[in-house]
Amino acid sequence: MAGPRVRKKRTPEGTSATFKADQSLIEVIKGNGKVIPQAVKHWVEQYESDPKTAMVELLMMLFEACGAKYQLREDFLDETDVDDVVVALVNLARRGEIEDYHSSKRKELKNFKENLVAFWGNLVIECQNGPLFDQVLFDKCMDYIIALSCTPPRVYRLVASLVGLQLVTSFISVAKTLGSQRETTQRQLNAEKKKRNEGPLVESLNKRLSMTHENITVIEEMMRKTFTGLFVHRYRDIDPNIRISCIQSLGVWIVSYPSLFLSDLYLKYLGWTLNDKISGVRKASIHALQNLYEVDDNVPSLGLFTERFSNRMVELANDIDVSVAVAAIGLLKQLLRHQLLPNDDLGPLYDLLIDEPSEIRHAIGELVYDHLIAQKFSSSRSRGSDEGDASEVHLGRLLQILKEFSADPILCTYVMDDVWDYMEAMKDWKCIVSMLLDENPLIELTDVHATNLVRLLYASARKSVGERIVPATDNRKLYYTKAQKEAQENNRRDITVAMMKNYPQLLRKFMADKEKAPSLINIIVHLKLELYSLKRQEQNFKTVLQLIKDAFFKHGEKDPLRSCVKAMTFCSSESQGELQDFAQNKLKELEDELIVKLRSAMKEVAEGDDEYSFLVNLKRLYELQLTKPVPIESLYEDFVTILRDSQNMDDEVVGFLLLNMYLHVAWCLHAISDGENLSETSISSLLSKRNALFGFVESLLNIPCEAQEDGKYGTLLACRVCTILAEMWCLFRKSNFSSTKLEQLGFCPDTSVLQKFWELCVQQLNISDEMEDEDVNREYIEDINREVVMIAAAKLVATDTVPKDYLAPEIVSHFVMHGTSVAEIVKQVIVVLKKNANHDVSNVFLEALKRAYSRHVLELSKSDDELSASKSFAECKDLAARLSGTFVGAARSKHTVDILQIVKGGVSFAFLDAPRKLSFLEGAVIHFMPKLPGSYALDILKDVQKRTENVNTDEDPSGWRPYYTFVDTLHEKYAKNEGFQDEKESVKRRGRPRKLRNIQGKKLFDGQGSSEEEDSISASDREAQDEEEHDPEEDVPLIHSLKSSSKLRSLRVSREDSKGPTRTSDSGGTTRDNLGGSRTSGPTSI
């Protein structure tokens, strides 16, 4: 029986590689890098025995590394002019006879750059005891390297720059070794001179010292030669990779060899490149400066440089590239550490605490913590205080910062999130609770401070258990490791222990404050409730629940009510045993007491008293019903009665009455659908409630626009009516109940009701921005704006709740009329229509264009105001442009039939009453013509011309002008078959683009100029590329757009405002002019 097979171990590639004497140098560099030291040693031995032959081999390797094969003759090496050789090499590039190893993607060349750098580095080290100082070998090499670095072919410059920069780095390594030897020799000489002034040893040490000094002088001269001949030109190269390499190398040189390079003569290049238009170059410069400021001994020599360029460093904290901004903030921290930046310059930085990119916010948060809270950079900061006092001091300083943002809780939350990772005091919950209860205060709490400290306590609790307190831009779910989850559980335990005994006291103290109560009450959902039983604190738990219930009836605002409901429902479901029974009983008591209060308030209203109590209790019921069903069957009939009998009731009260009735109907339907209450009686009751609600809401569809202007809450009620009707129609749409026992619940509105619904929606859409801005601070504003109204209508179309023939074209016709947020909602509706095969997109688009045009005609007939008419016609043209723009890339061929139907239908509509409607050709149809293949377009042109064969167009020249404009435009585009060409170019291709044909070699050289033209892409190519790109929004579910759009108005901190008025542009042109002196970092011609 055969034994088990032994698996052979794979030996790493190249572990056994050895250098062969017959290998050429270029083969060594292309091959295994481990043989480079052997190859270098072999070459140095060859150079020492036959310098010219070895020199020719080295230079030819340099040329081959550039991709050119050029033969040098060793007989004429001394007489050969460097410029003649370089010109010949450039001619090879012009003819395309070179190969680019540097940028090659071939597998065997993956280590080419590293091997090339390693070879020249090893060569310098190997020659440090001989050929390095013969003033022949490296002088000749540097002449060729510098000359090649100034040639137009990009690959020559890349390779020569790579080699030249490495030479300087290696020279520095040798110079540092020589410097150490010089110091050692000097010490030995000084010691020997103390013994005797003369002698063979003193003479030998003097000679060695002199020789070492001469070698250092020679090698520093070679550094200067390479710097002035190569770096000074290449740090401004058109290729950003070369610029980045130059700046990275300069940073290394200054840190490694400050005796030569740490001076303004070299530092200025780092300052100038802070203005480079490429973010990678700016970042390389920042990183180089960070390494400089990291060394304390360098700081005294950086004074003048810092004074000149510190303003630019501050500006870079707001760079358009996030990684550059984060790096710049790290650099500013170092300036603060060395006290090189005045506090007055930090003002703009603090605005970045509420910037959108989290990386920037957190970087600024670290700076703020170090500089303002912990005061690590302050020479006078207190030392020796115990941990508790330190926490209180740090929290006090944070409260001073939060005071600047206290007007907006969202901004305060951003600041807390920014410093969370660095500020341990935020996790000192005992200290926070003690400060709130004024126990031995070091800092006197004002009301503003107390509000912010409560917000901080709530934010800290959420962060410590793994919740986000600032919305993420990517909406990705957070995932945690096992260790992180354990830490979060420990945090939850610690918070509970810290709060357990003091929670009732905090609630009693701040329960009546509507600003503090919501955050304080919400903390309970992050506590570990079972600890109340384990630590025998049941009475405290019961006290907390009673106080939360009392708070529910103390407040009438949304946030306190919502937090109370959330806390009560959480405790009734998550607590255990006796405590859970107690929580459920308290919740039931709350419901019963609320119903009693509602009956009493309704009675007062019926008797003619004030409606305030009724409104507040309706809000409480609404917040409760958002979370759970409430048994208000007996109240429902009373709601219907009071709506029917009270003619002058406030619109806000009516709105909340309708909302509560809708929620009750929805909960009843939910119970029936789940089979909990499926009986004829329950279905009949639900139908009765639904019909009563439908009847009253539909009666409110006739709210006139004038009533909205006169009434304080007219807009609110109209929005409520629109959203409730749309939700009810979706809830009871027939498709939900077809072929089921509940089929009788299905409902579809009449066309007349649907038209009235849309007319009311249009009234809300047309409300001016000024009126909406006046209501920005109103409660529930996120439920009563134009975006919510458009979402309600869009939902009806997207879910096929109502026939699309009327509503879909109406919605699409408003695509460009009401701002960006509404346009985004309509765009998602169009995506849904296109994806649904049951929807006739061409008919929807055509009808939408007709309705937009009809509005223009109506505007034209109402008044002689040319401005108003031109605006309506511009909206019609914009709509056509946006709709035609949805047919891009592959969609053009996929939807050719739809486009053709739109064009033909549009032409027919325009000629129905010619010439009155001919402007429809110019306003709508013309925008779809470029989307058609040329053959179709020419047929359309013939059809249009045929329609005017027997018509005298001279009778009304102005009326027929749009026709001639349309025909002339088509003639210009398609007379020379440009239409066919457009058709070919517009087809979307998958996979990699085809390579251009008839290209001889690589275009590495072009005339006298730089390599800029090599990499430029024509405008037409870019347009074609843009068209071919897939529209990511086609794959975005409608619900995502609807959810995000509905909250646009509620978030009062816009992205633009949070970023500040200016954002450092990529070009950096203006700043560069101000700071860059006579030289700037902009690329120049070679």
Side-chain angles (χ1 to χ4, degrees):
M1 184 175 177
R5 295 178 62 184
V6 179
R7 186 175 180 181
K8 293 182 179 180
K9 293 184 179 181
R10 292 182 59 186
T11 57
E13 183 182 352
T15 52
S16 60
T18 56
F19 171 69
K20 298 177 182 178
D22 58 346
Q23 269 186 292
S24 67
L25 295 180
I26 192 65
E27 288 174 349
V28 171
I29 291 172
K30 289 181 183 178
N32 194 307
K34 294 188 177 182
V35 304
I36 287 177
Q38 304 171 43
V40 169
K41 188 173 183 179
H42 178 270
W43 182 89
V44 172
E45 293 172 353
Q46 183 183 353
Y47 176 81
E48 290 173 345
S49 61
D50 188 359
K52 285 192 177 181
T53 302
M55 176 79 79
V56 168
E57 183 184 8
L58 183 64
L59 292 175
M60 287 175 59
M61 180 273 289
L62 177 63
F63 302 155
E64 288 188 72
C66 293
K69 293 185 178 181
Y70 183 84
Q71 294 292 328
L72 280 176
R73 294 181 59 182
E74 58 186 76
D75 300 340
F76 301 102
L77 181 62
D78 295 334
E79 292 80 14
T80 303
D81 187 71
V82 174
D83 292 341
D84 293 339
V85 175
V86 171
V87 169
L89 291 171
V90 169
N91 288 331
L92 288 176
R94 180 182 287 114
R95 295 194 298 270
E97 297 176 3
I98 66 173
E99 186 175 0
D100 186 358
Y101 299 130
H102 181 276
S103 305
S104 175
K105 302 297 182 184
R106 286 157 51 188
K107 185 177 180 181
E108 61 270 22
L109 295 174
K110 64 179 181 179
N111 296 321
F112 179 81
K113 287 185 285 188
E114 292 80 0
N115 290 348
L116 182 63
V117 168
F119 178 90
W120 287 93
N122 275 273
L123 181 62
V124 172
I125 302 302
E126 191 67 32
C127 294
Q128 64 181 323
N129 296 319
L132 181 59
F133 304 104
D134 66 3
Q135 297 186 347
V136 176
L137 171 60
F138 282 93
D139 281 9
K140 180 72 73 174
C141 290
M142 285 191 296
D143 288 342
Y144 278 98
I145 290 169
I146 291 171
L148 285 168
S149 72
C150 296
T151 56
R154 189 181 299 260
V155 66
Y156 289 2
R157 301 199 313 278
L158 282 165
V159 172
S161 300
L162 196 66
V163 173
L165 296 172
Q166 178 58 39
L167 282 180
V168 176
T169 304
S170 300
F171 290 160
I172 289 173
S173 179
V174 174
K176 290 172 70 176
T177 302
L178 292 174
S180 299
Q181 293 175 2
R182 182 171 60 180
E183 290 177 4
T184 302
T185 305
Q186 185 68 57
R187 285 198 303 271
Q188 290 174 345
L189 181 60
N190 293 339
E192 190 62 29
K193 282 184 175 181
K194 289 179 180 178
K195 299 177 183 177
R196 60 183 67 84
N197 288 331
E198 297 180 357
L201 185 56
V202 173
E203 184 179 349
S204 172
L205 289 172
N206 272 322
K207 187 176 180 181
R208 189 195 307 173
L209 184 64
S210 176
M211 185 181 298
T212 306
H213 183 73
E214 287 176 6
N215 288 343
I216 292 175
T217 303
V218 169
I219 207 164
E220 286 184 351
E221 188 57 37
M222 287 194 288
M223 293 183 209
R224 292 189 185 96
K225 178 179 178 180
T226 308
F227 186 87
T228 55
L230 188 148
F231 179 91
V232 169
H233 302 289
R234 297 283 63 79
Y235 92 97
R236 298 184 299 162
D237 195 277
I238 191 70
D239 190 314
N241 293 317
I242 296 177
R243 303 205 298 277
I244 291 172
S245 297
C246 287
I247 296 306
Q248 287 174 339
S249 297
L250 179 59
V252 172
W253 301 342
I254 298 174
V255 172
S256 303
Y257 205 60
S259 60
L260 175 63
F261 289 104
L262 187 57
S263 68
D264 292 335
L265 178 65
Y266 300 99
L267 289 170
K268 63 185 179 184
Y269 296 101
L270 295 180
W272 288 339
T273 48
L274 291 174
N275 301 289
D276 197 281
K277 67 179 181 180
I278 299 298
S279 60
V281 183
R282 300 196 298 275
K283 186 158 63 173
S285 181
I286 292 170
H287 286 317
L289 291 172
Q290 283 179 321
N291 293 332
L292 278 180
Y293 285 103
E294 192 69 32
V295 181
D296 293 344
D297 293 340
N298 292 340
V299 174
S301 302
L302 293 168
L304 183 60
F305 173 84
T306 306
E307 182 181 348
R308 182 175 180 185
F309 291 102
S310 60
N311 288 339
R312 177 59 183 155
M313 297 177 197
V314 174
E315 288 177 358
L316 284 171
N318 202 24
D319 194 88
I320 194 170
D321 185 276
V322 173
S323 61
V324 174
V326 172
I329 293 166
L331 176 59
L332 294 176
K333 274 187 60 182
Q334 292 183 324
L335 294 182
L336 288 170
R337 181 168 69 90
H338 296 297
Q339 299 182 0
L340 295 174
L341 200 63
N343 288 331
D344 294 341
D345 292 346
L346 298 177
L349 294 181
Y350 300 144
D351 294 335
L352 299 178
L353 284 167
I354 54 175
D355 205 356
E356 182 178 323
S358 59
E359 299 90 342
I360 293 178
R361 290 193 295 102
H362 291 151
I364 289 290
E366 184 178 7
L367 184 148
V368 166
Y369 173 73
D370 289 344
H371 182 56
L372 297 181
I373 298 174
Q375 297 186 1
K376 293 181 179 179
F377 309 142
S378 174
S379 57
S380 60
R381 68 190 181 104
S382 58
R383 300 179 184 273
S385 58
D386 60 43
E387 185 179 349
D389 289 348
S391 293
E392 194 162 345
V393 170
H394 288 181
L395 288 168
R397 291 169 182 164
L398 178 58
L399 290 177
Q400 290 295 333
I401 297 171
L402 293 175
K403 185 179 179 181
E404 302 296 322
F405 304 94
S406 58
D408 196 321
I410 295 175
L411 301 188
C412 290
T413 304
Y414 269 70
V415 176
M416 296 171 196
D417 184 67
D418 298 340
V419 301
W420 164 263
D421 292 329
Y422 319 104
M423 187 172 172
E424 287 299 319
M426 286 184 68
K427 307 173 187 67
D428 191 345
W429 297 293
K430 289 183 178 179
C431 179
I432 296 173
V433 171
S434 175
M435 290 175 66
L436 285 170
L437 293 175
D438 294 330
E439 297 175 353
N440 303 318
L442 291 177
I443 301 164
E444 183 179 354
L445 280 185
T446 64
D447 185 64
V448 172
H449 285 342
T451 301
N452 287 330
L453 194 56
V454 169
R455 291 171 181 166
L456 189 149
L457 178 61
Y458 177 48
S460 176
R462 293 174 63 193
K463 286 286 287 185
S464 63
V465 298
E467 280 194 15
R468 286 191 178 111
I469 61 173
V470 171
T473 54
D474 54 11
N475 291 321
R476 287 185 298 180
K477 185 179 179 181
L478 290 172
Y479 292 95
Y480 296 104
T481 63
K482 183 179 179 181
Q484 288 174 322
K485 290 178 180 178
E486 289 177 356
Q488 290 166 6
E489 278 303 307
N490 291 335
N491 288 337
R492 193 185 298 274
R493 176 183 293 273
D494 292 343
I495 299 167
T496 307
V497 171
M499 293 287 295
M500 195 177 291
K501 294 181 179 179
N502 296 310
Y503 206 174
Q505 299 176 51
L506 290 172
L507 286 173
R508 289 190 186 97
K509 183 173 182 179
F510 299 114
M511 182 174 63
D513 192 321
K514 67 178 181 181
E515 297 292 333
K516 302 179 183 68
S519 298
L520 199 56
I521 293 169
N522 276 326
I523 291 174
I524 198 170
V525 302
H526 302 294
L527 301 185
K528 203 173 181 67
L529 298 184
E530 57 264 32
L531 288 180
Y532 276 95
S533 298
L534 293 174
K535 293 189 176 291
R536 311 218 174 181
Q537 296 293 322
E538 293 90 346
Q539 188 56 48
N540 278 331
F541 178 81
K542 295 177 181 179
T543 304
V544 167
L545 281 181
Q546 182 60 48
L547 290 170
I548 292 174
K549 179 191 165 204
D550 294 343
F552 180 78
F553 290 106
K554 271 186 181 293
H555 295 281
E557 298 82 13
K558 179 182 74 173
D559 291 338
L561 293 176
R562 194 160 289 183
S563 63
C564 290
V565 172
K566 183 179 177 181
M568 293 290 285
T569 52
F570 174 81
C571 291
S572 62
S573 61
E574 298 299 321
S575 55
Q576 298 174 357
E578 180 189 346
L579 296 184
Q580 186 176 43
D581 294 339
F582 182 83
Q584 291 173 350
N585 289 334
K586 278 295 169 187
L587 187 58
K588 183 68 171 63
E589 288 177 15
L590 184 146
E591 293 175 3
D592 295 342
E593 188 173 343
L594 177 59
I595 292 172
V596 170
K597 287 180 178 290
L598 272 169
R599 290 188 185 282
S600 173
M602 277 193 292
K603 185 177 179 181
E604 291 175 1
V605 171
E607 294 173 354
D609 289 347
D610 186 50
E611 298 170 354
Y612 176 76
S613 176
F614 188 36
L615 174 61
V616 168
N617 284 292
L618 283 173
K619 286 183 180 180
R620 291 169 181 159
L621 178 62
Y622 171 68
E623 292 297 336
L624 195 57
Q625 284 203 100
L626 284 176
T627 305
K628 64 184 298 293
V630 180
I632 59 167
E633 285 78 5
S634 58
L635 281 177
Y636 194 89
E637 293 300 326
D638 297 335
F639 287 170
V640 173
T641 302
I642 200 170
L643 281 172
R644 185 180 61 245
D645 297 342
S646 301
Q647 300 297 323
N648 299 318
M649 191 177 296
D650 187 279
D651 285 350
E652 190 177 16
V653 177
V654 175
F656 275 100
L657 267 171
L658 296 177
L659 282 173
N660 279 297
M661 292 170 69
Y662 158 69
L663 287 175
H664 178 67
V665 169
W667 281 116
C668 290
L669 178 61
H670 177 73
I672 291 174
S673 300
D674 286 351
E676 298 175 6
N677 192 18
L678 186 57
S679 65
E680 287 296 328
T681 305
S682 61
I683 294 174
S684 174
S685 173
L686 175 58
L687 280 172
S688 174
K689 294 174 182 176
R690 184 200 72 180
N691 294 337
L693 181 56
F694 269 143
F696 194 81
V697 175
E698 288 174 3
S699 70
L700 294 174
L701 287 175
N702 298 315
I703 299 175
C705 194
E706 295 78 12
Q708 295 181 41
E709 294 174 358
D710 296 338
K712 182 179 180 182
Y713 292 105
T715 302
L716 184 150
L717 182 57
C719 287
R720 295 291 192 204
V721 168
C722 292
T723 53
I724 291 172
L725 258 186
E727 292 294 335
M728 289 281 289
W729 287 340
C730 289
L731 206 58
F732 289 96
R733 66 177 180 268
K734 289 187 175 181
S735 59
N736 288 350
F737 307 102
S738 59
S739 304
T740 68
K741 295 179 180 179
L742 303 176
E743 193 164 2
Q744 58 183 314
L745 294 178
F747 181 84
C748 184
D750 296 335
T751 303
S752 60
V753 175
L754 187 60
Q755 289 176 348
K756 289 181 179 180
F757 163 80
W758 177 247
E759 288 170 3
L760 186 60
C761 289
V762 171
Q763 288 181 17
Q764 302 310 304
L765 293 172
N766 289 331
I767 290 175
S768 66
D769 292 332
E770 290 77 12
M771 287 186 65
E772 281 206 340
D773 290 340
E774 289 177 3
D775 296 334
V776 74
N777 292 317
R778 185 188 293 176
E779 267 194 324
Y780 299 98
I781 184 63
E782 67 273 14
D783 299 336
I784 50 170
N785 53 56
R786 65 176 63 153
E787 288 83 9
V788 172
V789 171
M790 182 57 86
I791 289 170
K795 193 173 180 181
L796 296 175
V797 173
T799 57
D800 287 325
T801 299
V802 298
K804 67 180 184 307
D805 300 338
Y806 170 75
L807 192 56
E810 287 288 357
I811 291 174
V812 174
S813 72
H814 285 258
F815 196 177
V816 296
M817 293 179 62
H818 309 292
T820 306
S821 54
V822 172
E824 287 298 318
I825 299 168
V826 179
K827 184 190 289 186
Q828 296 303 318
V829 173
I830 293 172
V831 171
V832 172
L833 291 174
K834 282 188 172 185
K835 286 187 174 181
N836 193 331
N838 296 326
H839 290 152
D840 185 357
V841 175
S842 61
N843 184 60
V844 171
F845 280 17
L846 182 58
E847 287 300 317
L849 291 168
K850 288 180 182 178
R851 293 177 194 188
Y853 182 76
S854 299
R855 288 196 294 268
H856 163 65
V857 173
L858 181 63
E859 193 70 36
L860 205 60
S861 63
K862 284 198 302 186
S863 67
D864 297 330
D865 185 1
E866 294 184 4
L867 181 62
S868 178
S870 62
K871 180 183 177 183
S872 61
F873 191 63
E875 287 177 351
C876 185
K877 293 170 73 172
D878 289 345
L879 174 64
R882 292 291 293 272
L883 294 181
S884 64
T886 61
F887 299 112
V888 293
R892 291 173 66 169
S893 55
K894 179 182 176 182
H895 293 282
T896 298
V897 175
D898 291 329
I899 300 171
L900 189 61
Q901 289 179 358
I902 293 171
V903 172
K904 286 183 176 180
V907 170
S908 300
F909 176 76
F911 280 93
L912 275 178
D913 191 13
R916 290 183 58 191
K917 296 181 179 179
L918 286 177
S919 58
F920 189 73
L921 294 174
E922 185 181 357
V925 179
I926 193 66
H927 295 279
F928 290 86
M929 294 303 297
K931 305 296 180 181
L932 283 175
S935 57
Y936 289 104
L938 292 173
D939 291 341
I940 295 295
L941 178 59
K942 292 175 184 177
D943 176 55
V944 171
Q945 290 175 325
K946 189 175 181 180
R947 291 173 182 265
T948 59
E949 285 180 353
N950 300 317
V951 178
N952 183 9
T953 60
D954 295 332
E955 291 181 355
D956 187 1
S958 62
W960 285 91
R961 182 194 57 77
Y963 161 76
Y964 285 111
T965 302
F966 181 77
V967 171
D968 291 344
T969 303
L970 292 187
H971 270 303
E972 290 176 11
K973 287 193 174 185
Y974 299 104
K976 298 179 181 178
N977 281 336
E978 289 183 6
F980 295 104
Q981 187 178 0
D982 180 73
E983 174 190 359
K984 293 175 184 176
E985 292 177 352
S986 66
V987 176
K988 181 176 179 180
R989 297 187 65 257
R990 300 284 181 182
R992 298 177 63 180
R994 292 193 186 100
K995 293 183 179 179
L996 298 176
R997 299 178 181 176
N998 301 324
I999 297 181
Q1000 300 178 359
K1002 291 209 174 209
K1003 191 174 181 183
L1004 300 167
F1005 173 78
D1006 186 11
Q1008 301 292 327
S1010 68
S1011 305
E1012 189 169 16
E1013 293 182 4
E1014 302 163 19
D1015 301 326
S1016 66
I1017 302 174
S1018 67
S1020 60
D1021 288 342
R1022 282 197 295 269
E1023 290 172 3
Q1025 204 172 26
D1026 290 342
E1027 277 197 354
E1028 290 177 5
E1029 286 180 359
H1030 174 65
D1031 185 2
E1033 300 191 27
E1034 288 189 0
D1035 293 331
V1036 177
L1038 175 67
I1039 189 63
H1040 290 179
S1041 172
L1042 303 189
K1043 286 181 178 178
S1044 60
S1045 298
S1046 68
K1047 296 181 180 178
L1048 288 174
R1049 296 272 174 183
S1050 63
L1051 184 62
R1052 299 192 292 275
V1053 185
S1054 70
R1055 176 179 178 179
E1056 289 78 15
D1057 291 340
S1058 69
K1059 289 185 178 180
T1062 59
R1063 188 65 133 159
T1064 305
S1065 69
D1066 233 358
S1067 62
T1070 305
T1071 310
R1072 188 189 308 127
D1073 291 339
N1074 293 337
L1075 299 175
S1078 59
R1079 289 186 186 272
T1080 67
S1081 60
T1084 62
S1085 298
I1086 305 304

